[in-house]
Amino acid sequence: MIHVFYLFYFVSSSWIPRGNYIESNRDDCTVSLIYAVHLKKAGSVSFDYQYVDNNMFFEFFIQNDQCQETSSASEKWVKLSENSEWMHHSVALKSGTNILYWRTTGILLGSKVVKPVLIKNITIEGVAYTSECFPCKPGTYSDTPGSSFCKICPRNTYSDKGARECNKCKQDTQYSDEGASKCLDRPPCSNKDTFQIHTPCDNEGKTQVIYKWIEPKICREDMPDAMKLPASGTKEDCPPCNPGFYSNGTSTCSPCPFGTFSDGMQECKPCAAGTEPILGFEYKWWNVLPANMKTSCFNVGNSKCDGMNGWEVAGDHVQSGAGGSDNDYLLLNLHIPGFKPPTSGANVAEMGRITFVFETICSADCVLYFMVDVNRKTTSVVESWGGNREKQSYTHIIAKNATYMFTWAFQRTNQAQDSRRLVNDVVKIYSITATNVMDGVASSCRLCAMGSQQFGSSCVPCPAGHYIDKESSTCKECPPNTYLSPHQGNGKESCIPCGPASRSNKDHSACYSDCTFSYMHENQSLIYNFNNLSSVGTLINGPSFTSKGTKYFHLFNISLCGNGGEKMAVCTDNITDVTTKEMEAEAEDVSNFVKTFVCQSTIIPSDSKGFRTALSSQSVSLADAFLGGTIERSLDGITIKPEMFPFPKKIPDINFFYKSSAATSSCEKGRATVISMRCDPSKPGQGDISVSRLCPAGTCDGCNFYFLWETAEACPFCTENDYQKIEGACKNGHQETHYVWNEPRICMRGVPLPDKRTAACESIDFWLKVGAGVGAFVAVLLVALTCYFWKKNQKLEYKYSKLIMTANSKECELPAPDSCAIMEGEDNDDDVVYSNKQSLLGKLKSLATKEKEHSFESVQLKSSRPQNI
């Protein structure tokens, strides 16, 4: 027989014994509780557990002596507890050595502390018989020899090790809790030992505040410094009935019959013709708990508060009760059988909503949990608030019709304490409102669509996307590209226009992008088509590490546009081997299933915690409504800063704006998402999705998320302005024309680039040469002729001037006419003076007249007239 117990942990993390149960770690470490046993025959192991936080992964599996798991991978994940109750788990064991593993891993990515797993009553069957008995530990006893277990000593008793019975404490001066090993002296009473309640209305319609001792009472009133129980308050008028209820002459309030309404202070009145009651619940006066609400107290480690009221009514609010210990869970439950939209103006996108106003007054680490159970399957925490919280409102939207149990759980501290120190830490809920509740009551009526005479002129349902015309009381469809407001179905003003670059779906319940976009840029119309991006885009961001070194990634799924407005992005808390497809098939019953425009999951890789597969958790919706697409950086109060993604120089980004209506404790107005589409022809297909360097996690505040999607599919269609024409030279009678894209290219598809064109042309090379030659010859000829005639003119001028000089030499004698040429019969006996150097003009003249063999000479002529001797 082998009974070996191991406890593996890291740093300060471990399983901690808490008396009658053992508690797991509360951090993001992996802790294993291991028990090895040898069975002589096949048997089983069973245990009770409490597992309420899905941020803690809880596994139970079995290995043999060869370290081989004997159970399937899907069986090792333990189911979450329902309504914070103890659950029972049993697994068959084979004969031989069995090593049992209880392993927990916390996913601590924020400031919140995860709730631990609690285990008790571990029972193993099939072990060999043993003749050895072990003594009971202090605080327990066994009155039957050979018993298989020890009994716990009741309150105000104690026992030592190996006791067969429990000893009583001194009744008036001492006390003890369950399972105590000694008695404690009773302290003097103080204000921490009392609490107040409001009595129900009596027959006179009066109520009063009375004080009670916190049970079990452990204090003494007979000590010098002890406080006495305060006297009851004076009687006051009871608060009125809640809206939709009326007083029937008794001290209780009754719901108004169907088809009637009341504000709670008057009798129920029937709705006027052409109107219908607005069904729901509005609880704002708290004299007694409504019939569909209940309260209880629960503690995993003791039974002090069993049977106590966890919450107490207090007139204008309901508040947490005293409980039995400071670490009690004080529970308030509201049961809703189902939700049904009003007969007219139905909006299928929202079945209903629940809103409550609350505040917390705490001096320690108190926490208020708001939890939802759907169809009595599994309770999941929707939101939680820790510490002091000012008076505020929270709204939870109901997206599908089902049976709901809403639970408010308040815990003053998660640490077990021997004394009461935090009894004055309270939470107050002032009002709880649920709309469109099946079998609800009405505080007012609304206009409805009237049927024909054959239907008795009663209210008839309007088709989806139709509003009620106030004048004709008939149903009319909302105009194109508008959606019907979920809170108002009367009048055309209830049809809200869709944002820029968006259109309404068929039933006018929401707006979406049809993947087309256009705008004017530099007097040019740019047209976009994102149809190739209508499938889901995925971004895995990381890795990141927690303070304890746990590696994790953030997975983002994006459904950008198209699909008729259907939200295609799916995120699941996949801690089992269930596939996404199977999750969709059971989506009605799976609370950790998110289907929206943009969602986020936290992925723990298999190598981070030693799991066989990656784990997905904390799936949330970041975008369930499309606001519009624009080149502007702001829309409906959502802004993307220029430094988030530096603005491109050529064309601006196309920004898609989304919003999630689900509010959280840190995002009171819900979350917002902006996806910037940037043209990058070098990235075909899906391209790349990235986050800003300023916000490496995709968000800087946890509420606003920003993504950059770079792809060629985000480029506008090409037009004739996006390419240029280049004409080639004429060669061999042909000329080619080429077309090239402008650089940098910022367009895709659209107008294709024209093919190369070839056209006939006439060669001009020969005639160009002929023309050049003729032109050169004419130019030389003109220069030569000019020089010739200039030289001729010079000679004539010289002869003429000579004649004038000769004539002037004679006194009073009329000069005889002289000849410029040699007459026939005359001798040329004039003296001739030769010039040996040819002038430049002479050279040009000889070149022009082709008389290269002779040279012109300058001759000085003498007068032909005889001289006087």
Side-chain angles (χ1 to χ4, degrees):
M1 177 183 66
I2 301 176
H3 292 275
V4 184
F5 180 79
Y6 302 93
L7 185 63
F8 287 88
Y9 58 90
F10 303 95
V11 194
S12 59
S13 300
S14 66
W15 287 81
I16 303 174
R18 296 293 188 186
N20 61 343
Y21 67 93
I22 187 169
E23 177 183 291
S24 74
N25 59 311
R26 296 172 178 266
D27 54 23
D28 56 348
C29 291
T30 297
V31 179
S32 295
L33 180 68
I34 304 176
Y35 186 77
V37 62
H38 185 81
L39 301 185
K40 292 295 184 180
K41 61 178 182 178
S44 65
V45 57
S46 63
F47 58 90
D48 296 330
Y49 70 92
Q50 188 185 66
Y51 173 33
V52 298
D53 194 342
N54 56 9
N55 290 322
M56 175 72 76
F57 294 126
F58 181 28
E59 302 171 274
F60 176 71
F61 57 94
I62 305 166
Q63 290 183 351
N64 57 22
D65 54 0
Q66 302 298 321
C67 295
Q68 297 174 339
E69 291 191 21
T70 59
S71 56
S72 63
S74 60
E75 293 177 350
K76 70 179 184 178
W77 299 103
V78 182
K79 182 182 178 182
L80 284 168
S81 300
E82 296 181 4
N83 299 321
S84 301
E85 298 177 355
W86 286 96
M87 303 287 287
H88 186 75
H89 190 75
S90 179
V91 178
L93 299 177
K94 298 179 181 180
S95 60
T97 300
N98 292 267
I99 305 176
L100 314 179
Y101 289 82
W102 292 266
R103 185 164 68 180
T104 57
T105 302
I107 307 301
L108 186 62
L109 303 180
S111 59
K112 297 180 181 179
V113 178
V114 296
K115 300 184 72 62
V117 175
L118 310 180
I119 297 177
K120 68 178 182 179
N121 298 337
I122 300 177
T123 303
I124 300 176
E125 296 181 355
V127 296
Y129 171 77
T130 177
S131 59
E132 182 182 1
C133 290
F134 298 93
C136 292
K137 68 176 183 178
T140 63
Y141 71 100
S142 176
D143 54 1
T144 304
S147 176
S148 60
F149 62 93
C150 299
K151 299 178 182 178
I152 299 176
C153 287
R155 186 179 294 114
N156 294 326
T157 65
Y158 73 98
S159 71
D160 296 324
K161 182 177 180 180
R164 293 187 176 183
E165 63 180 6
C166 299
N167 303 317
K168 293 183 178 181
C169 299
K170 296 180 181 179
Q171 182 175 359
D172 297 330
T173 60
Q174 292 182 329
Y175 78 99
S176 70
D177 292 329
E178 291 179 342
S181 61
K182 63 179 180 179
C183 294
L184 303 174
D185 293 333
R186 293 180 179 270
C189 292
S190 66
N191 59 351
K192 294 183 179 180
D193 297 303
T194 65
F195 69 98
Q196 68 178 28
I197 64 170
H198 285 66
T199 61
C201 287
D202 55 21
N203 294 332
E204 298 177 356
K206 301 290 184 179
T207 183
Q208 67 179 148
V209 175
I210 63 174
Y211 293 87
K212 289 186 175 182
W213 294 112
I214 294 176
E215 295 294 338
K217 182 183 177 183
I218 62 172
C219 66
R220 294 177 58 183
E221 301 180 60
D222 56 353
M223 298 183 70
D225 297 333
M227 188 188 79
K228 302 295 182 180
L229 189 67
S232 300
T234 59
K235 289 190 174 183
E236 300 176 353
D237 291 336
C238 290
C241 295
N242 283 307
F245 292 82
Y246 73 100
S247 175
N248 56 4
T250 64
S251 59
T252 60
C253 295
S254 301
C256 288
F258 181 77
T260 64
F261 71 98
S262 172
D263 59 359
M265 294 181 289
Q266 299 178 356
E267 296 295 326
C268 300
K269 299 178 181 179
C271 291
T275 63
E276 62 180 353
I278 305 176
L279 299 179
F281 289 115
E282 183 181 0
Y283 299 134
K284 61 180 182 179
W285 300 111
W286 304 92
N287 181 59
V288 294
L289 279 181
N292 61 344
M293 297 187 71
K294 65 178 183 179
T295 179
S296 60
C297 181
F298 172 75
N299 192 301
V300 296
N302 59 65
S303 58
K304 290 181 180 180
C305 71
D306 290 357
M308 290 184 178
N309 286 335
W311 294 65
E312 300 288 348
V313 294
D316 64 342
H317 66 273
V318 57
Q319 68 180 31
S320 56
S325 305
D326 284 347
N327 65 334
D328 291 341
Y329 286 100
L330 308 175
L331 306 178
L332 180 67
N333 305 106
L334 170 63
H335 178 259
I336 301 294
F339 288 87
K340 180 182 179 181
T343 303
S344 301
N347 189 319
V348 296
E350 179 180 322
M351 297 297 296
R353 57 176 55 194
I354 181 168
T355 303
F356 58 94
V357 179
F358 71 98
E359 70 171 335
T360 58
I361 304 172
C362 298
S363 59
D365 55 344
C366 71
V367 181
L368 172 65
Y369 299 93
F370 175 61
M371 300 179 289
V372 176
D373 175 86
V374 182
N375 290 333
R376 299 178 181 177
K377 294 292 182 181
T378 301
T379 301
S380 60
V381 177
V382 176
E383 191 56 71
S384 62
W385 299 265
N388 271 321
R389 294 281 179 166
E390 296 181 353
K391 192 174 182 180
Q392 58 187 276
S393 175
Y394 177 80
T395 298
H396 177 67
I397 295 178
I398 309 301
K400 64 181 180 181
N401 184 27
T403 299
Y404 286 83
M405 177 69 78
F406 300 101
T407 301
W408 292 263
F410 180 69
Q411 188 181 36
R412 293 182 170 91
T413 180
N414 57 22
Q415 302 296 328
Q417 299 174 349
D418 295 332
S419 61
R420 301 298 304 275
R421 298 185 300 105
L422 307 174
V423 70
N424 292 326
D425 290 3
V426 296
V427 57
K428 299 179 180 180
I429 295 181
Y430 293 91
S431 65
I432 300 176
T433 304
T435 64
N436 301 339
V437 175
M438 192 179 299
D439 299 332
V441 296
S443 60
S444 61
C445 300
R446 75 171 78 196
L447 189 68
C448 70
M450 300 298 296
S452 60
Q453 293 294 331
Q454 61 180 347
F455 294 107
S457 298
S458 60
C459 293
V460 296
C462 280
H466 287 63
Y467 67 93
I468 303 172
D469 185 69
K470 295 180 179 179
E471 297 181 358
S472 61
S473 295
T474 57
C475 300
K476 291 187 177 181
E477 185 177 4
C478 282
N481 297 329
T482 63
Y483 68 97
L484 187 63
S485 170
H487 311 298
Q488 180 182 2
N490 300 332
K492 191 174 181 179
E493 60 273 14
S494 61
C495 299
I496 303 174
C498 293
S502 64
R503 58 182 301 176
S504 60
N505 55 9
K506 292 182 179 180
D507 53 12
H508 295 275
S509 61
C511 298
Y512 72 101
S513 169
D514 61 356
C515 297
T516 61
F517 185 84
S518 63
Y519 74 100
M520 295 298 296
H521 178 69
E522 298 178 355
N523 297 325
Q524 179 182 353
S525 178
L526 299 183
I527 301 175
Y528 296 77
N529 191 314
F530 303 104
N531 275 318
N532 292 337
L533 303 177
S534 60
S535 58
V536 177
T538 299
L539 168 65
I540 299 180
N541 186 31
S544 300
F545 297 89
T546 65
S547 59
K548 295 289 182 69
T550 300
K551 182 170 67 173
Y552 66 92
F553 296 84
H554 279 146
L555 170 69
F556 299 96
N557 286 328
I558 300 174
S559 177
L560 182 69
C561 61
N563 304 299
E566 184 179 358
K567 305 167 186 176
M568 302 300 293
V570 176
C571 293
T572 60
D573 290 347
N574 188 19
I575 62 172
T576 65
D577 292 335
V578 181
T579 64
T580 301
K581 185 175 182 180
E582 291 171 344
M583 294 290 284
E584 290 190 47
E586 302 176 1
E588 294 297 322
D589 297 326
V590 178
S591 58
N592 55 1
F593 171 84
V594 177
K595 190 173 184 180
T596 182
F597 285 121
V598 183
C599 62
Q600 174 190 359
S601 292
T602 301
I603 305 298
I604 309 296
S606 58
D607 59 351
S608 179
K609 292 296 183 179
F611 298 128
R612 291 185 174 180
T613 58
L615 302 180
S616 174
S617 68
Q618 299 181 347
S619 298
V620 295
S621 171
L622 305 181
D624 55 22
F626 178 64
L627 302 181
T630 175
I631 60 173
E632 304 297 332
R633 290 188 170 269
S634 296
L635 182 65
D636 288 357
I638 304 172
T639 302
I640 176 172
K641 298 179 180 179
E643 59 269 20
M644 193 66 65
F645 302 112
F647 199 73
K649 297 180 179 179
K650 196 66 177 178
I651 57 175
D653 296 335
I654 311 300
N655 298 314
F656 283 69
F657 290 83
Y658 301 85
K659 190 170 182 62
S660 175
S661 55
T664 64
S665 58
S666 57
C667 306
E668 297 181 357
K669 297 182 180 180
R671 298 183 177 92
T673 300
V674 182
I675 303 174
S676 298
M677 307 301 299
R678 179 167 295 178
C679 171
D680 190 342
S682 65
K683 298 179 179 179
Q686 289 284 326
D688 295 331
I689 304 176
S690 60
V691 296
S692 173
R693 294 182 178 179
L694 302 179
C695 306
T699 177
C700 295
D701 56 5
C703 300
N704 299 292
F705 292 78
Y706 305 97
F707 302 94
L708 177 65
W709 196 335
E710 298 174 287
T711 172
E713 299 295 335
C715 296
F717 282 168
C718 295
T719 64
E720 289 82 358
N721 298 324
D722 292 309
Y723 61 82
Q724 55 184 330
K725 181 174 65 174
I726 299 178
E727 295 182 348
C730 183
K731 296 181 180 180
N732 300 324
H734 295 85
Q735 183 183 30
E736 293 183 348
T737 302
H738 297 265
Y739 298 87
V740 295
W741 295 111
N742 297 331
E743 293 296 336
R745 182 182 175 185
I746 55 170
C747 68
M748 295 294 291
R749 295 175 292 175
V751 176
L753 190 68
D755 297 331
K756 179 182 66 175
R757 295 181 182 178
T758 302
C761 63
E762 188 174 349
S763 179
I764 62 172
D765 292 347
F766 173 77
W767 295 109
L768 181 62
K769 294 178 182 179
V770 171
V774 171
F777 175 77
V778 171
V780 172
L781 180 61
L782 289 176
V783 170
L785 291 176
T786 302
C787 294
Y788 170 77
F789 286 112
W790 178 80
K791 185 66 177 178
K792 196 77 172 175
N793 184 59
Q794 289 293 101
K795 287 184 177 181
L796 292 177
E797 286 183 357
Y798 174 77
K799 289 184 179 183
Y800 181 74
S801 62
K802 187 68 175 176
L803 292 175
I804 295 300
M805 291 175 61
T806 303
N808 291 336
S809 63
K810 296 207 177 229
E811 296 179 0
C812 301
E813 185 178 351
L814 182 65
D818 200 356
S819 174
C820 293
I822 299 175
M823 300 302 294
E824 184 179 355
E826 291 184 355
D827 295 330
N828 185 9
D829 50 358
D830 291 334
D831 295 335
V832 178
V833 181
Y834 295 94
S835 176
N836 296 327
K837 187 176 181 181
Q838 190 177 13
S839 66
L840 176 62
L841 293 177
K843 292 180 180 180
L844 294 175
K845 179 179 179 182
S846 63
L847 178 63
T849 57
K850 306 294 184 178
E851 295 179 354
K852 296 181 180 180
E853 65 277 9
H854 300 289
S855 298
F856 290 97
E857 297 178 353
S858 298
V859 180
Q860 182 176 4
L861 300 178
K862 293 183 178 183
S863 175
S864 60
R865 181 182 304 174
Q867 299 181 357
N868 296 325
I869 302 176

